Amino acid sequence: MAPNPGAPNRGAPNRGAPNRGAPNRGAPNRPAANEDAPDESIRNESAPNRWAAAAGAAAALLGTAAGELAAAFLSPSVSPLTAVGSAVIDVLPPLVKDLAIAVFGTADKAAFFVAMALVIAALGGVAGVLEVRRRYAGSAVVLGFAAAGAVAVLASPQAEQLALAALMVAGAVALVMLQILVRRCVQATVAPVRPAGPGLDPARRTFLLWLGGTAAAAALTAVVATGIRSAQQGAARLRQAFRLPAPADPAEPIPAGATLPLAGITPLVTPNPDFYRIDTALAVPVVNVDQWRLKVTGMVEQQVELDFDELAGQELAERYITLCCVSNPVGGGLIGNAKWLGWPVRDLLARARPQAGADMVLSRSVDGWTASTPLEVLTDERDALLAIGMNGEPLPLEHGFPVRLVVPGLFGYVSATKWVTELKLTRFEDETAYWTTRGWSARGPVKMSSRIDTPRNGARLDPGEVGIGGVAWSQHTGISAVQLRVDDGAWQDAELGAPISADTWRQYRYRWNAPTGRHRIQVRAIDAAGMVQTGESAPVVPDGATGWHTVSVTVA
């Protein structure tokens, strides 16, 4: 029961109970210990804001966790938290997103969830303080946040009716716990009698037990919800049961000498768990392969639709292709190389027969994300794939299972659509994609770059021979040379690993006779067309970073 500001006898004598509700000779007006509801003035004057805020925060976090647990059973694709988070991401300024990726890298989603939890706790704290000061004022805050959540859920491309039920659970739990905790908070902070001797009075002890129990329940519920959502994803079971078909056009074996024997150098093929992940999906979309469809629409002579079995039954090609994120800074790790299995996109588009004037394919993900890819790169000789396999396994869920796009030579934001469901042929002048509406360039060709993997920046080395090594890339053109220089000296050619193809990076190494002192090492690449990597520094926005990767080491 919530505190009742309208309790009888406010400000009037209490029939036979001396001084209750009347001035107490210089002491504040306090209720008797057994009164269930103090009056409004006592609530305003006596309840500490910090305890009220803690009560509201705990109630809000438990409600959020309960909503996530309900969504694990009712709506695996959309939960209240992910729906609101996705809506927030969509309206954040691009600078904020770029900063998050620069600071947190592939941990950006975990950092965002932590930030969301802090914001929810803060809003709950405000609700708690308001509820103590005026009954139902805090409840109005909770209801307002629930209404905003409902809008976000309904706006989600993966919206389900049961997702609203999960939101109702979240709101109901938060409201009930807010009333319970605030009531006990008020009782604890206005209790007129303190027990003799050490220890807390019973009312305060009860409040703290309720507060701690609610916080613990919120943490436990969140852990259980996360576990259930992971375990219940039918897509995970279907992926485990799926066996990749043999490629009609297998990849050429990796040539001897492609991998260089140098400790600390990046593996030539990136293991799936280590492959970078940058996307806008807070929760990995749950896609049932039995219901998945890919549509080719827009400026085509013939619209095409195919299901997963039909796609998997095509003459699939297997290729090593390096992918890179446009947010990768010079020397950064948002790049990886894998063996992909898929159907050439040009074969699918040939069925649809693009109309004259079409110059862009707007690909769409199941979660509504879009990418704008030049039509010519999907129809030329390069191995642009509708991929279903990665390094000999079905696509990992977080990398696009069941189907994603892989396009050599383009940054991922204009090509690497995961969980793809539509290819719409259109024109750049008529359509824009997710990131191009946020200030990034429309076409996004990958820029030639190189990286020093070893030694690391700030390393302390022994004098004598030191191995310097790393990777260089210029997708769909290829690398012909890598050069290093120390302390602005002459550029020296490094040893190159054998190339897999023009669409993959190459390893390099250089044997340096290191003298004592502090030194600066720089690297640059030269592509197969003879172009030298620029040393001019540029940020990642709007079309990728440039500059020479530089590390400083101390030899002693």
Side-chain angles (χ1 to χ4, degrees):
M1 176 178 176
N4 185 1
N9 302 323
R10 180 187 300 174
N14 188 5
R15 290 189 179 86
N19 298 324
R20 180 183 299 174
N24 191 6
R25 291 187 176 87
N29 186 14
R30 297 181 180 274
N34 63 351
E35 277 189 332
D36 192 42
D39 69 30
E40 192 71 29
S41 63
I42 291 175
R43 295 174 71 192
N44 287 339
E45 294 172 3
S46 304
N49 286 342
R50 64 180 183 275
W51 292 116
L61 291 173
L62 180 57
T64 301
E68 294 301 294
L69 182 59
F73 292 100
L74 302 175
S75 175
S77 299
V78 178
S79 73
L81 190 63
T82 59
V84 172
S86 297
V88 170
I89 286 177
D90 287 345
V91 299
L92 282 176
L95 179 62
V96 176
K97 302 177 188 179
D98 300 338
L99 180 62
I101 294 173
V103 174
F104 299 106
T106 55
D108 59 332
K109 294 174 180 60
F112 185 77
F113 276 120
V114 171
M116 285 189 67
L118 293 175
V119 171
I120 290 170
L123 290 173
V126 171
V129 172
L130 292 176
E131 188 70 19
V132 164
R133 294 180 176 180
R134 181 171 299 278
R135 193 178 186 187
Y136 301 133
S139 299
V141 172
V142 174
L143 290 174
F145 192 69
V151 173
V153 167
L154 292 174
S156 171
Q158 297 176 277
E160 303 175 27
Q161 290 183 346
L162 290 177
L164 287 177
L167 184 66
M168 293 174 64
V169 169
V173 171
L175 283 172
V176 170
M177 292 310 302
L178 179 67
Q179 295 295 320
I180 292 174
L181 290 176
V182 164
R183 174 173 176 249
R184 295 193 177 278
C185 175
V186 172
Q187 290 174 341
T189 55
V190 301
V193 179
R194 299 290 183 262
L200 297 173
D201 63 83
R204 184 164 295 184
R205 183 183 303 111
T206 300
F207 167 65
L208 291 178
L209 287 173
W210 271 91
L211 182 63
T214 302
L220 179 61
T221 304
V223 171
V224 172
T226 301
I228 291 176
R229 288 181 70 85
S230 297
Q232 284 191 339
Q233 286 183 348
R237 294 192 295 271
L238 291 171
R239 176 186 178 273
Q240 293 172 356
F242 177 63
R243 295 293 177 265
L244 287 177
D249 184 7
E252 294 290 332
I254 294 177
T259 298
L260 298 177
L262 178 62
I265 200 169
T266 299
L268 189 63
V269 178
T270 309
N272 289 355
D274 298 334
F275 207 96
Y276 79 95
R277 178 195 168 196
I278 296 292
D279 53 51
T280 62
L282 283 180
V284 174
V286 178
V287 181
N288 187 333
V289 295
D290 294 332
Q291 300 175 357
W292 177 87
R293 298 291 186 276
L294 176 65
K295 298 179 180 179
V296 182
T297 62
M299 299 174 64
V300 294
E301 298 296 333
Q302 176 67 51
Q303 292 197 6
V304 178
E305 180 175 332
L306 72 163
D307 59 25
F308 186 74
D309 287 340
E310 185 178 358
L311 174 59
Q314 301 300 316
E315 294 188 353
L316 304 182
E318 189 179 56
R319 295 292 185 269
Y320 288 97
I321 298 172
T322 297
L323 298 184
C324 184
C325 179
V326 71
S327 296
N328 195 38
V330 173
L334 301 181
I335 183 170
N337 184 50
K339 182 172 68 174
W340 306 93
L341 175 69
W343 189 31
V345 180
R346 60 177 173 268
D347 293 346
L348 173 61
L349 296 182
R351 288 189 182 183
R353 303 193 305 280
Q355 293 177 354
D359 62 2
M360 186 256 275
V361 174
L362 188 73
S363 54
R364 187 177 302 275
S365 170
V366 68
D367 65 354
W369 187 85
T370 54
S372 55
T373 309
L375 177 60
E376 66 266 20
V377 307
L378 297 178
T379 54
D380 64 14
E381 78 285 357
R382 79 186 69 201
D383 294 307
L385 302 175
L386 285 163
I388 63 172
M390 180 178 182
N391 287 333
E393 301 177 3
L395 283 175
L397 298 178
E398 65 273 17
H399 289 294
F401 181 82
V403 184
R404 67 169 293 167
L405 278 171
V406 174
V407 183
L410 296 184
F411 285 122
Y413 81 103
V414 295
S415 67
T417 305
K418 303 172 185 176
W419 315 290
V420 62
T421 58
E422 182 184 7
L423 302 179
K424 179 182 179 182
L425 278 84
T426 180
R427 299 184 300 178
F428 278 101
E429 63 184 61
D430 296 333
E431 303 269 5
T432 54
Y434 184 91
W435 284 113
T436 51
T437 61
R438 290 161 171 81
W440 294 80
S441 63
R443 296 176 181 266
V446 173
K447 296 182 177 181
M448 174 174 40
S449 193
S450 52
R451 186 180 73 199
I452 299 172
D453 293 335
T454 183
R456 296 289 186 180
N457 190 47
R460 298 186 65 86
L461 309 173
D462 294 328
E465 185 174 287
V466 172
I468 303 174
V471 289
W473 59 91
S474 181
Q475 282 101 318
H476 204 57
T477 301
I479 293 294
S480 64
V482 172
Q483 297 178 330
L484 293 108
R485 71 176 180 180
V486 179
D487 299 331
D488 297 325
W491 289 101
Q492 303 294 326
D493 288 332
E495 175 189 357
L496 278 179
I500 298 177
S501 74
D503 292 330
T504 61
W505 60 18
R506 293 180 73 174
Q507 291 182 344
Y508 72 86
R509 68 176 176 179
Y510 178 76
R511 292 181 174 89
W512 174 45
N513 187 17
T516 57
R518 184 171 176 81
H519 304 283
R520 189 176 70 146
I521 308 170
Q522 292 179 303
V523 63
R524 72 180 185 185
I526 302 173
D527 69 16
M531 180 179 294
V532 179
Q533 177 186 340
T534 180
E536 182 179 350
S537 294
V540 296
V541 182
D543 57 1
T546 62
W548 296 328
H549 188 207
T550 303
V551 299
S552 295
V553 299
T554 300
V555 180

